Amino acid sequence: MKLLLVAINAKYIHSNLAVYSLRAYAEKFQESIEIGEYTINNRSETILADIYRRNPQVIAFSCYIWNWTTVQELLEELPKVMPGRDIWLGGPEVSYEGEKILKKYPHLTGIMTGEGEQTFRELMQYYCLHDRELTDVSGLYLPGKGLTGPREAMDLDEIPFYYREPELFANRILYYESSRGCPYRCSYCLSSIDKKVRLRSFDKVKAELDIFLKYKVPQVKFVDRTFNCNHEHALQIWNYLLENDNGITNFHFEISAHILTQEELSVLEKMRPGYVQLEIGVQSVNPETIREIRRTTDLDRLKWAIRKIREGRNIHIHLDLIAGLPYENYDSFVISFNTVYGMEPNQLQLGFLKVLKGSYLHEKILDYGIYYRSIPPYEVLYSKWLSYKEVLRLKRVEEMVELYYNSCQFRHTLQILVRAFESPFRLYERLADFYEEKGYFVHSPSRVKKYEVLLEFACLTDPEKEALYRELLTYDIYLREKCKSRPSFARDLAPYREELRRRERDKKEHIDVFFYPVWDMERLQEVEMTETAEAVEGIEKPRELPVFVHFSYEKRDPLSREAEVKYKFFASES
C-alpha cells in the first residue's frame, strides 16, 4: 500500500512542514508514505499526471488558502483517471467546513481536522495493519457520519525530526516549529483558537538546530505564532544560536515586539548581521481597531523596542499592517501606515484582511459589514469603514511600496524624495496615481526603467532638485549592481575617463563620480555647512570638485544587499 502526501506550495523554495511532520510521526509506516511537493505555479494537469505516475492507493492533500483552488481542480479530475482511490484532505482550509466540503465532493473518503499527527498515524494503522475502523479514529469528518470525535492536544516532543532528505537543505526554505498555540486572541487569526502554548523541549530544539547549522541550511523559518511569548524559551534558543553561528544560516521569527525584554534585546544586539530576521505584526495603530480585534499592543513600548533593534544595524525587521480591519477607515489607515513607516523597517508589508474560516472575525462579518472574495484567499472587498474604491486605491499603494520600498533598490532616493510630501503615505499614493496616468500598471516598467520612472516622477514633484535626484538614483543603482550599460540618467563620465582608468583596480568594482554627498544621508538631511557647499532648501549644493566613489561587489551588506562603498576621495586630494 502506498499513500501519497501532496503538498502544493506557494513557491518552489518553500517546503511544507505539515506533510513532513505527519510522515515523521508515522515513522513506523514510512516505507508506505511518499511526499509529492509541487507549487501553485505548476499546471494542475502537470500535478495530476505526476500523481498518476506515482500510482498511490491513497492520496492526502495538505490544504491552505494559497493552494485550495488548485486542490479543488485536482479533486474534480482524480476520480476520472484514478477511480477507486481513497482521497483525504487535511489542513486549516478544510478543518472548519467539513460537512460542506464532503457534500461538494462526495467521492472524498474523509477529512482530517485540526492537529493531524496522531490522526494520521492511526489512519496509517487502519490501512497497513487493518486493526481498527475509521469511526474509531478521532479527528475525522466522514461522509454520512460527521465528526468521529475531538482530538486531544499532543506533546510536541513526541514528533521526531521532520526532515530526512539532506538535499532539501541546499536550496529550500525550511520551516520549523518549537511551539504551538498562542496566548493572544486576535480575532482574524486561527492561532487564537488554541490558546494554550505548548513547547518543544529545549534539548529537542537544540539537537535539531544543530542539524540545520551543520548542513548550513540557507534559511530556517520558525512558524511559532508568537515566538517570544515564553521568554525563557526564546532566550534559550537565541542564546544557543548566538553561541553556535555557522556564518551562513538565517533564522526567521515572528515575535511580539512590545513584550521584548532588555535581556532579549541584549542577545539580539550581538547577533551576526543577517543572522536573524524578525517579523512583527503591528496591523494598526488605531486604538478602537486594536480593541475590537482583541489585540494588546503598547505602541510606545513597541516603537522603543523596534528603535533599539534598528540601532544594532544587524537584524532585518519586517513590519506588517492589515487594511480592512474593523473601525479602520482610509484616513485611519493612512495614520497607521505613516506611523509604521516612521519606524524604518527593512520591509513594510501592506496586507489586506483575509476572512478565515473558523476565526472569530468570520463570525462577526455581518456586524462589521465586511464583504470578501468567495475564493481563496478570501480577501476583503469592502466594509462599513472602507469602500471598495478605497481598497483598490490601497492596492495600488501596496504595489508601489513593494516596487520601490521593499525592493531596497531606491533607499537613498526615497529618503530625500519623501520630504517633498506631507507624509510618506502621500508619496506612494501620488506615485500610484502617476503609474495610473502613464499606464505603467498595465505595461510594467523593466528593472532599469523603474529608476527612470522614479526620476520623471521626482522631477515633476520637486523639479529644483533634478541634479540631486539623478545622482541619488545613480548611487542607488550602482549599489545594487555593476551595470552593463550606463543608465540614461547618470552623469557622462567622459571628462573623467583617464582618472577613472587610472584608479580602477578590479573588474568586480565600479568607480563613479558624484558632486553631492549621496553616500551620507545625515549630511543631506541635517544640512551641514562646509567651505565648498551651502545649504539651500534643506539640501546641500553640489561640490565644485568631484568625489570618486568605489563600489565593491565582492562584499555586500547582509541586510540591504548593497555593495560595499570601499572609499571615496576628492580629485584635488589624489
Side-chain angles (χ1 to χ4, degrees), residues 118-129:
Q118 291 177 325
T119 302
F120 180 72
R121 185 170 66 181
E122 291 180 22
L123 204 59
M124 291 304 299
Q125 288 176 289
Y126 163 79
Y127 280 113
C128 296
L129 303 180

Side-chain angles (χ1 to χ4, degrees), residues 235 238-239 242 262-271 314:
L235 267 174
W238 281 341
N239 272 313
L242 179 64
Q262 185 59 59
E263 189 176 4
E264 288 166 340
L265 287 167
S266 297
V267 174
L268 291 171
E269 184 183 329
K270 300 171 187 172
M271 296 289 189
N314 64 327

Side-chain angles (χ1 to χ4, degrees), residues 472-489:
L472 284 165
L473 286 164
T474 301
Y475 189 68
D476 274 331
I477 197 168
Y478 279 107
L479 279 171
R480 306 295 298 186
E481 62 180 307
K482 184 174 182 176
C483 301
K484 292 181 179 179
S485 56
R486 186 76 170 160
S488 61
F489 50 82

Side-chain angles (χ1 to χ4, degrees), residues 380-397:
V380 65
L381 292 169
Y382 62 92
S383 71
K384 278 185 184 179
W385 301 274
L386 198 66
S387 70
Y388 181 52
K389 181 178 179 180
E390 289 169 330
V391 168
L392 292 178
R393 191 157 178 76
L394 289 176
K395 285 279 186 181
R396 298 298 204 195
V397 172

